Amino acid sequence: MKQSGSVQQTLRHTALGLTDERAVEMYKTMMLARRFDERGQLLQRAGKVNFHISGITQEPSQVAMGFAMDLKNDWFLPYYRDYGFVLSLGMTVKELMLSVYAKGEDPNSAGRQMPGHFGSKRLRIVTGSSPVTTQVPHATGFALAAKMRGEPSVAIVTFGDGSSNQGDFHEGCNFAGVHQLPVIFICENNQYAISMPLAKQTRGRICDRALGYGFPGIRVDGNDPLEVYRVVKEARDRAVAGEGPTLIEIMTYRVTAHSTSDNDLAYRTKEEVDLHRGKDSLPVYRKYLEDAGLWSEEQEVKLQADIRATIDEGNEYAEKAAFQPVEDAFRYVYAEQSGEER
C-alpha cells in the first residue's frame, strides 16, 4: 500500500522508535479493549453479570502507556478502568471474562472482587483493592525496592482525577520525590470523580502538583496515543537513569457512566457526552495507520471478526466455568500456621 498524507504525519511512530508492526499492534489492542468493554456492558444489561465499569474512549492512551513500558522488568499498578492497559501487558480476554463472571479461575482475585480489581503475578500486575488511590503508595514501595536492589525496573501507577485529591496520592508523591524513586504516576483525568465534575473538586492543573514534590509534571492529550507513548517512554527513561519520578496528567473523558450502577445524566447532559464521544481517538488512530499505508478495510474486517471470535470464546468459557468452592472462601485470608502453636 502506498503512503498518503505528509511524511511528518505518517511517520510519527517511526520517529518515536515504534516499528510498523508495533504501531499496528497498538491499534489491535485498543480495538480489542473497546469491544471487550462493550460486551461487558451488554452482559450486565442482560443480567448475566452483576457489575461492569467502563473505560470507553480511554483505551488508546491506556494501550500507549503499556507499550511504552518494559513488560519483563517493570511493575504495574492499574486502576479499575484500565482494560486497555492490562490487555497491553498480556492479560487475555478469557482472564478478564472470568473476572466479570466472578469465577474461581479468575487470576485477578478468584472471583472475590468486582471486575476491574486487576492482579497477575505472571504479568507483574500488583493486586488492587477497592479503596481508591491505595495503589499509589504501593507503587512507591515497589520503586523503593527496585532502587535498593539496583534493579532496572520502574513502577507505573494509574488513577483517576478524583484520586488525586486523596491523601494516599500526596503521601506517595512526597515519598517518591524525597527518595527520587523510579516511579511514574499517571492521572487519567476523565473530568469526573464518580458524579463530581473536575471544576468542583480540583483547583488548577493536577500535573502542576509535582512541582511541590520536586519532580516533573506533564499534561498530555489523551486523544493522541502517540504523544502519550512519547511522554510515558521519556518518563521511564528518566526513572531508569536515576532521575526520579514523573507525574503525567492524561486529559481524557469518561463517555460512559461511572459504572453500570450509575445514572450519569443526573449530573451531566447528553449533549456534553455526545460532544466528547465525537472526539474518540480510536478511529483517528486507525486513519493515521491507513494514511501510513499500514492498514486497510480488508484488515479491519478481519480484525473485527477475529476479535468477535476471541470475545465469544472467552465469554463462553467463563460463563460455564465454576465458582470458587465455598470451602475456599477464607483461603489466603489467614496465614497457615507452621510449627508448634503458641
Side-chain angles (χ1 to χ4, degrees):
M1 290 178 284
K2 294 182 179 180
Q3 292 183 355
S4 60
S6 68
V7 173
Q8 182 180 6
Q9 172 69 12
T10 56
L11 296 183
R12 281 184 64 199
H13 67 281
T14 304
L16 295 174
L18 279 167
T19 63
D20 292 347
E21 292 75 17
R22 291 277 286 171
V24 169
E25 195 61 32
M26 280 177 60
Y27 174 69
K28 291 180 178 179
T29 308
M30 294 173 194
M31 186 57 74
L32 179 62
R34 175 68 57 88
R35 296 294 181 243
F36 167 80
D37 202 328
E38 292 170 343
R39 180 67 65 89
Q41 293 183 76
L42 290 174
L43 290 171
Q44 192 278 333
R45 291 170 186 165
K48 290 196 170 186
V49 302
N50 292 320
F51 183 80
H52 181 74
I53 194 158
S54 175
I56 285 179
T57 71
Q58 295 182 223
E59 311 97 334
S61 56
Q62 292 172 354
V63 171
M65 289 188 298
F67 272 66
M69 303 303 291
D70 183 339
L71 304 190
K72 293 183 179 180
N73 293 300
D74 294 339
W75 294 100
F76 309 101
L77 296 92
Y79 91 133
Y80 47 78
R81 295 192 198 282
D82 278 342
Y83 301 119
F85 188 33
V86 298
L87 284 169
S88 72
L89 302 179
M91 192 164 282
T92 68
V93 167
K94 181 183 289 185
E95 290 172 328
L96 290 177
M97 280 295 181
L98 286 164
S99 176
V100 168
Y101 279 95
K103 295 302 180 70
E105 290 182 58
D106 164 33
N108 297 276
S109 69
R112 297 165 184 265
Q113 293 181 298
M114 293 186 295
H117 294 68
F118 306 110
S120 173
K121 183 180 291 187
R122 169 176 60 91
L123 300 174
R124 302 171 70 88
I125 300 174
V126 182
T127 301
S129 61
S130 289
V132 297
T133 330
T134 55
Q135 70 270 27
V136 174
H138 295 165
T140 64
F142 275 83
L144 176 63
K147 183 174 183 178
M148 293 174 67
R149 294 169 178 166
E151 297 173 349
S153 64
V154 176
I156 180 172
V157 57
T158 65
F159 47 89
D161 44 290
S163 286
S164 71
N165 300 317
Q166 299 295 315
D168 283 337
F169 166 79
H170 298 283
E171 293 168 16
C173 286
N174 184 63
F175 190 88
V178 168
H179 295 281
Q180 285 290 280
L181 299 180
V183 57
I184 304 172
F185 301 103
I186 295 191
C187 175
E188 296 184 44
N189 187 345
N190 62 20
Q191 315 297 305
Y192 283 93
I194 304 183
S195 60
M196 187 66 67
L198 185 66
K200 293 185 178 181
Q201 56 161 316
T202 300
R203 183 78 170 179
R205 305 195 318 167
I206 293 171
C207 62
D208 290 340
R209 297 179 182 180
L211 297 174
Y213 299 116
F215 55 83
I218 302 168
R219 175 179 276 190
V220 60
D221 181 4
N223 289 325
D224 187 346
L226 290 178
E227 182 65 5
V228 173
Y229 173 87
R230 182 189 70 81
V231 169
V232 175
K233 186 174 184 299
E234 288 183 359
R236 187 187 184 280
D237 290 343
R238 286 188 65 256
V240 171
E243 297 176 20
T246 303
L247 170 61
I248 300 172
E249 180 183 10
I250 297 178
M251 300 305 296
T252 181
Y253 188 83
R254 169 165 63 78
V255 299
T256 53
H258 171 71
S259 72
T260 50
S261 300
D262 172 44
N263 175 19
D264 61 313
L265 295 184
Y267 53 83
R268 62 181 180 178
T269 66
K270 182 177 183 299
E271 290 73 21
E272 177 187 322
V273 176
D274 289 343
L275 174 66
H276 286 277
R277 195 181 294 275
K279 299 178 182 179
D280 184 4
S281 60
L282 190 50
V284 176
Y285 187 65
R286 173 187 170 182
K287 180 65 164 55
Y288 166 81
L289 294 177
E290 290 173 344
D291 289 345
L294 300 176
W295 199 248
S296 66
E297 180 62 29
E298 292 77 14
Q299 288 171 293
E300 182 69 22
V301 171
K302 183 178 185 304
L303 174 65
Q304 295 297 336
D306 290 345
I307 289 176
R308 176 67 180 268
T310 298
I311 293 176
D312 286 347
E313 179 185 1
N315 178 70
E316 182 179 359
Y317 182 89
E319 189 172 12
K320 294 179 179 178
F323 289 102
Q324 186 182 51
V326 175
E327 57 268 24
D328 285 347
F330 294 102
R331 190 180 183 193
Y332 305 126
V333 175
Y334 300 102
E336 295 182 4
Q337 292 183 336
S338 60
E340 296 182 2
E341 294 186 8
R342 295 181 182 271

